[in-house]
Amino acid sequence: MKFKETKIENVVICESEIFSDSRGHFFESFRSDLLEEFLGFKIHFCQINQSISKKNVIRGLHFQKEPLSQSKLVAVPKGRILDVVVDIRSDSKTFGKHLSVEISDKKKNSIFVPKGCAHGFISLEEDTIVSYLVDNFYSSKLDSGIRFNDSDLKIDWGIDLDLAKISPKDSNLPNFKDYLKEDI
């Protein structure tokens, strides 16, 4: 596996080495020892989440508050997404910044999203499957998020947002500035 740093600290693009022959292909989609060595800290994933989305579905921007904040390793076994990460760590050099990266079944890539970052994606193909490992169990009491179309973040989702399919919950999430008042 190869790892690439991004402009946000500890957000890492993971690229698998693909071995192909006439039967198909093989690749390692995750190696804890290699990722931990690259990051310089241990990760203990304890839950796997999966979603299946129609084209133009936006999910996010989600995160879980302390004491059960979550790191995530996001992969796409089928289809293609534009994955978006927002740094909400107030002590970070990139606080309030975001990045977008395409993750797909063709690329066999994934993205590691550390604790303290909000995460979301838009499905770029019909019936896209997104699978992600998390290092803390889900807690509805600590579940939180930021509005996907926050005017200060200016995230380019790659489509006219009138075409986006968004849940009522995600449509009603607060803007990023509102979290500054709440001390995330």
Side-chain angles (χ1 to χ4, degrees):
M1 294 194 82
K2 294 180 187 174
F3 304 102
K4 291 184 180 179
E5 293 179 6
T6 66
K7 67 182 183 181
I8 298 179
E9 184 181 9
N10 290 333
V11 175
V12 176
I13 307 301
C14 309
E15 297 177 342
S16 298
E17 185 176 2
I18 303 167
F19 301 94
S20 298
D21 62 24
S22 61
R23 300 168 296 159
H25 61 267
F26 170 85
F27 64 98
E28 292 177 337
S29 59
F30 172 62
R31 284 269 312 257
S32 63
D33 60 336
L34 297 178
L35 182 58
E36 288 172 350
E37 181 181 330
F38 185 83
L39 291 169
F41 56 85
K42 294 276 187 197
I43 305 159
H44 175 71
F45 292 120
C46 60
Q47 183 175 317
I48 300 173
N49 300 324
Q50 187 168 291
S51 68
I52 301 173
S53 300
K54 306 269 184 224
K55 186 175 181 178
N56 295 333
V57 168
I58 294 177
R59 296 184 187 265
L61 300 157
H62 302 144
F63 61 94
Q64 195 161 282
K65 294 180 182 181
E66 291 291 350
L68 295 177
S69 64
Q70 298 174 322
S71 295
K72 299 175 182 179
L73 182 66
V74 181
V76 178
K78 178 180 180 250
R80 192 167 56 100
I81 64 171
L82 180 67
D83 199 89
V84 176
V85 180
V86 180
D87 189 343
I88 59 173
R89 300 168 289 188
S90 59
D91 60 343
S92 170
K93 295 176 195 169
T94 54
F95 176 70
K97 304 290 185 203
H98 72 276
L99 68 84
S100 303
V101 63
E102 186 176 301
I103 308 292
S104 74
D105 60 351
K106 303 236 181 331
K107 291 183 177 185
K108 307 288 188 258
N109 59 347
S110 58
I111 186 168
F112 177 77
V113 180
K115 294 177 184 200
C117 289
H119 172 260
F121 64 86
I122 182 168
S123 176
L124 302 173
E125 296 180 6
E126 288 294 330
D127 301 321
T128 291
I129 299 173
V130 177
S131 180
Y132 54 101
L133 305 171
V134 295
D135 65 352
N136 261 321
F137 296 109
Y138 174 75
S139 168
S140 60
K141 292 178 183 174
L142 299 172
D143 184 39
S144 196
I146 298 168
R147 191 176 195 78
F148 72 96
N149 61 350
D150 182 298
S151 60
D152 290 325
L153 295 176
K154 297 181 176 94
I155 296 169
D156 180 2
W157 293 96
I159 66 164
D160 177 345
L161 291 181
D162 291 334
L163 301 174
K165 299 169 185 133
I166 301 139
S167 73
K169 173 190 165 191
D170 288 354
S171 293
N172 291 308
L173 289 171
N175 288 315
F176 182 65
K177 282 184 179 177
D178 296 329
Y179 283 104
L180 299 177
K181 298 172 192 167
E182 290 181 22
D183 188 32
I184 54 176

